[in-house]
């Protein structure tokens, strides 16, 4: 049985595999209803509330995870993102908040990853943070989000280089255009949905809409399973390449 920690797991996405010990880290119980329902049915899921902006809390969290996973961690998945205030969503300073939270979280949990068997660190990114995709889709907004994801991508590449000698593998992984709660908010606005769809179709005319969370998770798990030294540090889509972002 593998041990996984998912940072930003409040929706329960990706936590259902009963073959893994899954530590789901959340910021607040207020949005963790679905996750708690799942955890109540599966003894392999442990929910831990934490604050990734606090170094002291991250230290406590690492100790809590260690008790659940017997002092090791096979796969660390970082899926958290803080958009900041409404005004800050379009500004690059929000990227620095997310950047340091990623680094601090990885550093806090790194000793556990070093003792794991798979030794994998996966950063959930987005094609929005890809330069070629930005040029092709011609989307000038979502600046804070895009810069944040791009910063995380280079961070994972740096970790790949720095941790190679320890056998630790890293990856930046885009889940695709997924029908999550946040994405559904967009689809509820026909104008916003059509604008985004039209933007994505400039790069890939075959895009018709969002994919299900189930399809996305299956594809991502396949990519994570195939992560090896050759791929370590790369930024890829849920299809395992640098083209099919949607």
């Amino acid at each position: 049985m593998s041990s996984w920690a998912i940072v930003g797991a409040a929706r329960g996405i990706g936590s259902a595999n009963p073959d893994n010990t899954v530590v789901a880290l959340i910021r607040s119980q207020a949005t963790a209803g679905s996750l708690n329902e799942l955890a109540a049915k599966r003894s392999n899921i442990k929910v831990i509330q934490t604050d990734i902006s606090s170094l002291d809390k991250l230290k406590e969290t690492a100790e809590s995870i260690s008790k659940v996973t017997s002092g090791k961690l096979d796969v660390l998945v970082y899926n958290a993102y803080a958009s900041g205030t409404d005004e800050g969503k379009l500004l690059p300073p929000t990227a620095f908040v997310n950047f340091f939270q990623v680094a601090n979280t990885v550093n806090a949990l790194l000793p556990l990853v070093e003792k794991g068997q798979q030794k994998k660190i996966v950063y959930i990114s987005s094609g929005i943070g890809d330069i070629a995709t930005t040029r092709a889709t011609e989307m000038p907004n979502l600046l804070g989000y895009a810069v944040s994801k791009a910063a995380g991508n280079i961070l994972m590449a740096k970790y790949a280089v720095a941790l190679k000698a320890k056998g630790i593998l890293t990856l930046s992984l885009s889940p695709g255009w997924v029908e999550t709660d946040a994405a559904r908010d967009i689809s509820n606005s026909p104008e916003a949905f059509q604008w985004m769809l039209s933007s994505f179709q400039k790069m890939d005319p075959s895009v018709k809409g969002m994919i299900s969370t189930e399809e996305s998770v299956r594809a991502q798990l396949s990519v994570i399973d195939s992560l090896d030294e050759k791929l370590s540090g790369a930024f890829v889509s849920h299809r395992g390449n640098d083209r099919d972002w949607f």
Side-chain angles (χ1 to χ4, degrees), residues 36-192:
N36 287 326
E37 290 178 8
L38 185 62
K41 300 175 183 177
R42 297 185 181 273
S43 60
N44 64 308
I45 300 176
K46 173 66 175 179
V47 180
I48 297 178
Q49 186 172 343
T50 188
D51 180 1
I52 58 176
S53 66
S54 168
L55 293 177
D56 290 337
K57 193 63 178 179
L58 280 172
K59 182 179 179 180
E60 293 178 10
T61 301
E63 294 171 351
S64 297
I65 293 175
S66 181
K67 293 177 181 177
V68 176
T69 63
S70 300
K72 64 181 180 66
L73 196 56
D74 289 306
V75 183
L76 169 60
V77 178
Y78 190 96
N79 185 46
Y81 175 76
S83 60
T85 63
D86 288 340
E87 293 79 7
K89 289 179 181 178
L90 299 180
L91 300 175
T94 57
F96 294 101
V97 173
N98 287 284
F99 178 84
F100 289 122
Q101 288 182 351
V102 176
N104 289 338
T105 302
V106 170
N107 291 341
L109 304 184
L110 191 56
L112 299 179
V113 177
E114 290 182 22
K115 297 175 183 176
Q117 292 296 316
Q118 297 186 47
K119 295 181 171 62
K120 296 179 179 180
I121 301 173
V122 181
Y123 172 71
I124 303 303
S125 187
S126 170
I128 299 297
D130 178 65
I131 293 176
T133 301
T134 297
R135 297 180 67 207
T137 59
E138 298 182 317
M139 296 176 66
N141 55 359
L142 300 175
L143 182 56
Y145 182 75
V147 172
S148 171
K149 294 303 182 182
N153 296 342
I154 190 64
L155 180 61
M156 288 300 108
K158 294 292 186 179
Y159 270 123
V161 174
L163 301 174
K164 181 178 180 180
K166 295 184 177 181
I168 295 176
L169 308 173
T170 75
L171 184 70
S172 293
L173 178 60
S174 172
W177 190 20
V178 189
E179 193 176 5
T180 60
D181 291 343
R184 276 191 289 270
D185 288 341
I186 295 176
S187 64
N188 289 334
S189 169
E191 295 81 7

Side-chain angles (χ1 to χ4, degrees), residues 198-214:
S198 299
S199 297
F200 291 161
Q201 287 177 336
K202 291 178 183 178
M203 183 175 188
D204 183 355
S206 69
V207 177
K208 296 295 187 290
M210 292 176 277
I211 62 176
S212 69
T213 56
E214 292 78 13

